[in-house]
Amino acid sequence: MLRILTTLLLAFVLAHTATAADFTPSAPPGPYRVGFHVRQQYDRARVYQHPRSPVTAQATSGDRSRPLQTLIWYPSIGTGGALTYRDYVATVATEEEFSRMPDQVRRATDALVETRTPQVQRDLSSPVRALRDAPERPGKFPVVIYAPSHSAYAIENTDLCEYLASHGYIVIATPSLGPRSHTMTASLEGAEAQADDIGFLVGYAHTLVQADTNRIAVVGHSWGSLASVLAAARDDRIRALVTLDGSLRAAYDYVNGGPRAAGYVTLERLGIPLLYMTRLQDEGAIGSELLGRMRYADVYLATLDAASHMDFSSWSLRMAPDAAFGTRTRAQSAQTYGAMARMVERFLDARLRNDAPARRQLDDTVAANRPPAGFVSFALRRATGAPPTLDTFLEQLGQQGFEHIATIYDRLHAQNPDLALDPLQAHDWGMKLLRERRAADAMQVFRLGVKLYPERFDFLYDGLGQAYEAAGERDAAIANYRQALALEPGQAHARERLGALGAQ
């Protein structure tokens, strides 16, 4: 274990180098070349542009659907177009307006960077790791969706995106857009708009040949972490979460089950591993908010030795003047950023890829109570058990068999009263099993149904009668058909079957 820890810590120390003159990608690249695509697409299920321009009041022309300029980093082979950091910056000009001409993009990019310091201007011309439109490497790779902070550009963390792609991940990002403009609203509606964007990208990932869509994670920075939690509570295809100095605590009202909160954000729906990274200056000990209450997920709590919120954004680290770093240098912040990137990769390897060596490294770090270089603390709060959800119900049912259905249901329902078997659902489930010639299993489902609703719903007794009849148990079938008639004398099917069985 000591050898593993020593190797890991040495990698952190040696890899995270930068100079004060520029921001050098500060984590060791992986074995893959990195390709980069820009895809301009619309979510036509949602409206974005107002009927009239909020600036000129003139009627809006063109597509009013929600624009989602999508940036994709991916493992590649061969060669592609060389890129500089300015090429990334140029994508900002078309985040909302896809039809801009090259000269318009150039002028907009100049306006965005012209007031920056000479050091930043030099950094703009430096090459980046990715190659434009390089051929995709054959194979299947996990997917990471990056959710930027409040109103931030999709390029907010290009260095992290490139880094993860070099280690065998497909990384997809769109800008943080508000419900109807690029300016994000500090409201649940705004967070849900970004959560919907994440959902759109989950769907888009299914169109990518390289994507292993059984392994999807979301990495969110600041406000984007709130949106990622909302998205994960809605979409169980998201299998892991990373929050970078996230807004889960500042925006607690939206996820605490209170009157302003999203009702679908429940502990039961957040049963996936979470890496929560924050800076040294935090709001205090984690208490009763969502992070403190999560009990069905492994929650990794990591505190960076960081001075400010911007240490989690390579855009901020590249674009900020030297004075913005206070008592720290740009090189020190780059080291902190590298530690953050490396921890994200280790977590994703361990919990999304289920990579055994990466899992051991995380576990050994926790067990040794000795945080990696760049961190002041690292801890794990383990899940207390599987979340009491329908998926858990079905998983345990598949493992233990239908004869245990009542025991499994009672236990999970006691933990989560919202997990309830509706009588119509029970009848539909049992009838589907009968059509698949699984009479014994159908019998168990109908038995649970009549146990839950013993004096109501004649159709459940009728279904149980059909299951017994299919299993060749005539007397039991007759008894249940008669019970169905007792509850509903007009039950035509039960009366018909009693006649057919000679028990009119």
Side-chain angles (χ1 to χ4, degrees):
M1 182 178 75
L2 180 60
R3 180 179 298 175
I4 293 174
L5 279 173
T6 303
T7 302
L8 178 62
L9 296 179
L10 184 62
F12 269 93
V13 172
L14 294 179
H16 306 148
T17 58
T19 67
D22 63 2
F23 178 79
T24 301
S26 53
Y32 298 104
R33 293 183 179 181
V34 179
F36 176 68
H37 292 317
V38 179
R39 297 288 182 261
Q40 294 178 331
Q41 51 190 340
Y42 291 95
D43 182 355
R44 290 191 164 84
R46 291 185 287 163
V47 67
Y48 181 74
Q49 300 288 353
H50 292 276
R52 288 185 174 273
S53 167
V55 178
T56 66
Q58 299 302 304
T60 300
S61 60
D63 200 324
R64 293 177 55 216
S65 302
R66 187 172 181 85
L68 288 178
Q69 178 167 274
T70 306
L71 311 186
I72 309 107
W73 293 264
Y74 55 92
S76 68
I77 57 175
T79 60
L83 293 169
T84 66
Y85 193 74
R86 184 186 171 92
D87 292 317
Y88 281 151
V89 178
T91 64
V92 172
T94 52
E95 284 189 337
E96 285 186 288
E97 300 179 43
F98 297 164
S99 60
R100 280 188 164 180
M101 302 301 292
D103 61 325
Q104 294 175 307
V105 172
R106 185 181 64 256
R107 289 196 299 270
T109 305
D110 288 342
L112 184 61
V113 301
E114 63 185 2
T115 60
R116 307 289 177 173
T117 64
Q119 171 267 315
V120 171
Q121 297 287 349
R122 289 194 299 273
D123 191 47
L124 289 169
S125 61
S126 62
V128 296
R129 184 174 296 153
L131 299 171
R132 188 189 299 276
D133 297 327
E136 289 88 353
R137 184 182 183 88
K140 289 290 186 180
F141 302 94
V143 176
V144 175
I145 294 169
Y146 179 76
S149 58
H150 198 280
S151 299
Y153 309 132
I155 61 166
E156 176 183 65
N157 255 322
T158 56
D159 294 275
L160 175 62
C161 297
E162 287 186 342
Y163 171 75
L164 292 176
S166 76
H167 283 273
Y169 290 90
I170 298 171
V171 187
I172 310 173
T174 59
S176 173
L177 303 177
R180 301 296 289 270
S181 72
H182 203 304
T183 302
M184 175 61 70
T185 59
S187 65
L188 179 59
E189 181 188 18
E192 288 185 323
Q194 190 169 5
D196 286 339
D197 293 344
I198 293 171
F200 179 88
L201 295 183
V202 169
Y204 174 68
H206 283 73
T207 70
L208 302 178
V209 175
Q210 281 184 304
D212 179 356
T213 52
N214 292 316
R215 299 179 180 184
I216 299 177
V218 181
V219 176
H221 175 35
S222 190
W223 183 264
S225 68
L226 172 63
S228 70
V229 166
L230 299 179
R234 295 174 174 179
D235 192 338
D236 62 9
R237 293 174 296 180
I238 297 171
R239 305 305 305 152
L241 289 175
V242 176
T243 170
L244 308 178
D245 211 25
S247 297
L248 294 184
R249 306 180 71 184
Y252 176 53
D253 282 355
Y254 301 141
V255 291
N256 67 353
R260 299 179 61 199
Y264 52 84
V265 179
T266 65
L267 302 183
E268 293 77 21
R269 291 189 177 187
L270 293 174
I272 58 176
L274 167 69
L275 171 61
Y276 178 80
M277 276 197 279
T278 187
R279 50 189 160 148
L280 186 58
Q281 296 87 348
D282 201 11
E283 302 95 330
I286 292 174
S288 61
E289 65 266 24
L290 180 68
L291 284 170
R293 293 185 294 114
M294 289 179 69
R295 60 179 181 269
Y296 301 118
D298 287 346
V299 179
Y300 295 82
L301 302 168
T303 304
L304 273 171
D305 183 13
S308 70
H309 195 53
M310 76 177 188
D311 284 277
F312 295 83
S313 162
S314 65
W315 165 265
S316 298
L317 293 174
R318 285 176 174 273
M319 294 293 107
D322 289 340
F325 294 89
T327 58
R328 294 164 63 87
T329 66
R330 197 182 302 269
Q332 289 173 324
S333 291
Q335 290 176 359
T336 298
Y337 186 89
M340 177 270 290
R342 178 69 171 167
M343 182 58 71
V344 172
E345 184 241 330
R346 289 288 83 190
F347 170 79
L348 293 174
D349 284 351
R351 302 312 305 265
L352 191 63
R353 277 194 167 119
N354 200 27
D355 179 76
R359 188 95 174 235
R360 284 195 298 271
Q361 285 182 356
L362 288 185
D363 291 346
D364 290 347
T365 302
V366 172
N369 195 25
R370 188 179 304 163
F375 289 82
V376 296
S377 67
F378 185 72
L380 168 61
R381 196 173 62 241
R382 292 199 180 275
T384 59
T389 62
L390 176 60
D391 286 336
T392 299
F393 177 46
L394 294 174
E395 180 179 0
Q396 295 183 5
L397 187 61
Q399 293 171 349
Q400 300 177 35
F402 276 78
E403 61 271 23
H404 299 285
I405 187 172
T407 302
I408 297 170
Y409 176 85
D410 289 344
R411 182 177 64 251
L412 295 178
H413 179 70
Q415 296 175 3
N416 177 19
D418 289 336
L419 177 63
L421 185 64
D422 179 271
L424 290 174
Q425 291 175 324
H427 181 266
D428 182 61
W429 187 2
M431 295 306 296
K432 287 179 177 177
L433 286 169
L434 282 176
R435 287 194 289 271
E436 293 188 16
R437 302 183 183 277
R438 297 179 59 171
D441 293 341
M443 194 184 304
Q444 299 297 338
V445 172
F446 284 121
R447 280 176 174 172
L448 176 59
V450 300
K451 173 192 170 186
L452 296 175
Y453 309 100
E455 298 179 1
R456 303 169 62 191
F457 307 117
D458 58 284
F459 52 80
L460 290 176
Y461 285 98
D462 179 73
L464 185 54
Q466 293 183 61
Y468 276 120
E469 187 177 355
E473 298 187 34
R474 177 179 179 276
D475 291 345
I478 289 172
N480 280 279
Y481 286 139
R482 284 175 172 165
Q483 183 61 33
L485 279 175
L487 290 175
E488 175 52 64
Q491 231 289 358
H493 183 268
R495 188 175 301 279
E496 175 192 338
R497 296 313 305 159
L498 285 171
L501 292 171
Q504 190 72 32

